[in-house]
Amino acid sequence: MSLDLWQRGCERLASELPEQQFNTWIRPLPAADVDPPDGAGTKVSVRVPNRFKLDWIRTQYAGRIEAVLSDLAGHPVRLELTLAPRDPQSVRPMPVAATTLQNPEASAAGSSSPGAGSAPPAVAPGATRHKLNSALTFDTLVAGRANQMARTAALHVAGAPGVMYNPLFIYGGVGLGKTHLVHAVGNALLKDRPDARVLYLHAEQFISDVVRNYQRKTFDELKAKYHHLDLLLIDDVQFFAGKERTQEEFFNAFEALLAKQAHIIMTSDTYPKGLVDIDERLTSRFDAGLAVAIEPPELEMRVAILIKKAAVDGVEMPEDVAFFVAKNVRANVRELEGALRKVLAYARFSHKEISIALAREALKDLLSIQNRQISVENIQKTVADFYKIKVADMYSKKRPASIARPRQIAMFLAKDMTQKSLPEIGELFGGRDHTTVLHAVRKIGGERQKNGELNQQLHVLEQTLKG
């Protein structure tokens, strides 16, 4: 009967939840232990294989699971999530190669290494050379709509590497948190599995390794370094453009890692098919797992970032000041953090309370640059150049898609990036009615949420306009 309750609960959840969510988070759970009902109801205990899945299921699904089980049982059900004990039956073992092959750099130590049959060192060699920043974790990452899907996928990879979303390809503009997210995955996996072989590097480091080994004719060393990892985290793969030998070696490493169920996470400034001068063999593989965008943070997320970052520095940021800064610094998280440092430093040096007036004074150079640069005319010229049409087409009566589409994009940016009203924007686009502008704003804004290519183009235009 107890097992039947859990099975029926899972069947109900499978019919109610999106298929991908159910298959990712609920289906892999083991059968629950269901206690006999008592005066407080029934306790259902589920052992979750790692702490990241446990935290995510607890925050996202526990309430719903309890509600479904209570409805089926006809009385209150309490869900208890616990971490499964670390043993071969409850924890997915790492691939054999990952735990038996020696780290190539560590093996060079010769006689100082433990002999055959010796107990392994307390910290595996791979864990000491991962090049991760321990401060970049899921706990220190501010979550919001802009990074929700990427963060969810990253959490899943951290909890179950090599199972789904392999490779995971995260793309977006500069300073949006791509690097933070990949470090968070690496740190999470090492916390859960200290013996995992994890390596983070920038694409330029891989290029340097290829060049060095090519000069020395020591490609076995290159393979030994990269082909036996459990998790490879590599930033800015667009730097591989035009480098044929590098692409060949990365393709080889890519295939070797996937074959042994190791996980690969990459970042780029554009989506896989938008990469230029990169072999189609690679781009098709980049797109074979999950490609997900990180977008510029929305206002509420920017406010949360400011308040959290200030708190880390031991400063309470007034909410109205956070809103003021967030409304005026919209490009990316990096610029937002830079603005916060200016405000905090100005308050510290001037011995004044943090206020909107102080923030306006501290950021006056930034605000004056923005006010001077971003105008409707500048937006029209930038968009026209980007889509290779004439500026005059922005306010002409022509309606072919090759002109109407860029015009709508320019209207959207004008509404988003200037203080102009809809009628004022319409006037600057050839005397168009404000309803035409509103239609363009709603259309482009709606499509941006669904169309990765359009979102990337808009982000490039925004970055260009903000200098």
Side-chain angles (χ1 to χ4, degrees):
M1 177 64 186
S2 62
L3 183 61
D4 182 54
L5 174 64
W6 178 248
Q7 287 178 338
R8 287 186 295 135
C10 289
E11 289 169 5
R12 171 84 69 85
L13 289 165
S15 67
E16 294 180 355
L17 291 172
E19 183 179 0
Q20 185 175 356
Q21 288 185 28
F22 178 80
N23 289 339
T24 301
W25 302 106
I26 308 300
R27 185 186 291 280
L29 293 174
D33 294 324
V34 183
D35 292 347
D38 56 25
T42 296
K43 184 175 79 170
V44 174
S45 303
V46 179
R47 294 185 173 187
V48 185
N50 60 69
R51 63 177 59 85
F52 306 103
K53 277 194 171 184
L54 186 147
D55 291 342
W56 187 255
I57 293 169
R58 179 177 286 151
T59 57
Q60 302 295 321
Y61 299 104
R64 187 158 189 174
I65 294 171
E66 281 188 343
V68 166
L69 294 177
S70 298
D71 182 52
L72 291 171
H75 58 258
V77 171
R78 303 189 316 279
L79 178 67
E80 182 179 88
L81 299 170
T82 59
L83 195 62
R86 187 183 296 273
D87 63 60
Q89 300 303 314
S90 61
V91 179
R92 173 182 171 267
M94 301 302 292
V96 174
T99 55
T100 58
L101 288 167
Q102 294 296 314
N103 180 296
E105 290 114 344
S107 64
S111 60
S112 63
S113 300
S118 302
V123 179
T128 63
R129 307 189 67 86
H130 48 64
K131 301 180 182 177
L132 292 169
N133 182 339
S134 60
L136 301 180
T137 67
F138 286 112
D139 289 337
T140 57
L141 179 73
V142 176
R145 286 199 306 272
N147 63 12
Q148 184 177 24
M149 188 172 177
R151 179 178 174 274
T152 301
L155 276 164
H156 177 80
V157 172
V163 179
M164 287 179 68
Y165 312 141
N166 195 13
L168 178 59
F169 191 98
I170 302 170
Y171 64 94
V174 174
L176 297 182
K178 302 187 300 294
T179 298
H180 189 141
L181 202 51
V182 298
H183 279 266
V185 175
N187 284 316
L189 180 58
L190 284 175
K191 190 173 181 181
D192 198 43
R193 300 177 184 170
D195 61 338
R197 295 184 180 276
V198 178
L199 178 64
Y200 164 82
L201 73 159
H202 190 274
E204 288 184 323
Q205 179 60 54
F206 187 85
I207 295 168
S208 297
D209 282 354
V210 170
V211 170
R212 183 171 58 255
N213 284 279
Y214 184 77
Q215 291 171 338
R216 298 174 181 173
K217 307 297 183 189
T218 54
F219 282 105
D220 285 345
E221 289 183 17
L222 191 73
K223 291 177 182 177
K225 180 176 181 180
Y226 289 103
H227 289 208
H228 303 309
L229 296 169
D230 300 314
L231 176 64
L232 173 62
L233 310 165
I234 184 160
D235 249 336
D236 292 325
V237 293
Q238 72 271 11
F239 280 82
F240 290 162
K243 298 176 173 63
E244 293 181 8
R245 186 73 204 210
T246 294
Q247 292 180 36
E248 180 67 28
E249 291 303 323
F250 188 68
F251 178 83
N252 293 337
F254 193 99
E255 294 290 282
L257 291 173
L258 288 190
K260 65 190 283 290
Q261 288 189 296
H263 218 105
I264 303 166
I265 304 182
M266 297 166 283
T267 75
S268 171
D269 62 354
T270 189
Y271 54 99
K273 287 186 171 58
L275 292 166
V276 296
D277 293 330
I278 289 187
D279 194 303
E280 190 178 348
R281 286 190 310 168
L282 275 177
T283 57
S284 66
R285 278 162 175 75
F286 293 170
D287 219 8
L290 177 67
V292 60
I294 294 185
E295 300 173 3
E298 69 277 9
L299 177 62
E300 294 84 357
M301 185 175 173
R302 296 198 300 274
V303 171
I305 289 170
L306 288 166
I307 292 174
K308 184 167 185 175
K309 296 288 184 183
V312 170
D313 285 351
V315 178
E316 185 176 343
M317 167 71 78
E319 199 168 277
D320 60 337
V321 180
F323 268 100
F324 172 78
V325 176
K327 279 192 276 190
N328 285 284
V329 183
R330 298 185 285 187
N332 57 53
V333 178
R334 198 170 297 162
E335 287 189 18
L336 202 61
E337 292 176 341
L340 175 64
R341 283 194 295 271
K342 283 187 178 180
V343 171
L344 297 184
Y346 197 87
R348 194 174 297 119
F349 297 148
S350 63
H351 304 289
K352 292 180 179 178
E353 296 269 331
I354 296 176
S355 64
I356 290 178
L358 181 138
R360 184 179 282 114
E361 180 65 21
L363 302 176
K364 62 183 179 183
D365 292 342
L366 173 67
L367 298 178
S368 67
I369 288 171
Q370 285 188 344
N371 292 337
R372 184 170 67 249
Q373 282 189 342
I374 302 179
S375 65
V376 174
E377 292 79 6
N378 194 5
I379 289 171
Q380 289 173 331
K381 182 180 185 309
T382 303
V383 174
D385 289 346
F386 186 85
Y387 290 103
K388 297 179 174 57
I389 64 173
K390 297 174 183 176
V391 176
D393 290 331
M394 288 290 169
Y395 32 84
S396 74
K397 301 300 180 185
K398 296 177 181 177
R399 291 190 175 182
S402 60
I403 292 174
R405 178 76 165 174
R407 186 190 293 138
Q408 288 181 325
I409 288 171
M411 289 179 180
F412 170 83
L413 292 171
K415 180 66 179 71
D416 188 55
M417 302 181 73
T418 75
Q419 302 300 315
K420 298 287 187 184
S421 66
L422 293 175
E424 288 173 327
I425 294 171
E427 190 61 34
L428 292 167
F429 279 83
R432 284 175 164 81
D433 188 82
H434 76 280
T435 58
T436 302
V437 181
L438 181 60
H439 171 72
V441 170
R442 287 176 174 171
K443 181 180 180 184
I444 300 301
E447 287 186 22
R448 178 177 201 168
Q449 305 301 318
K450 306 169 186 174
N451 186 328
E453 184 174 358
L454 172 61
N455 180 62
Q456 181 64 22
Q457 291 172 356
L458 287 169
H459 186 62
V460 170
L461 288 166
E462 288 163 346
Q463 297 281 65
T464 302
L465 287 162
K466 289 170 183 173

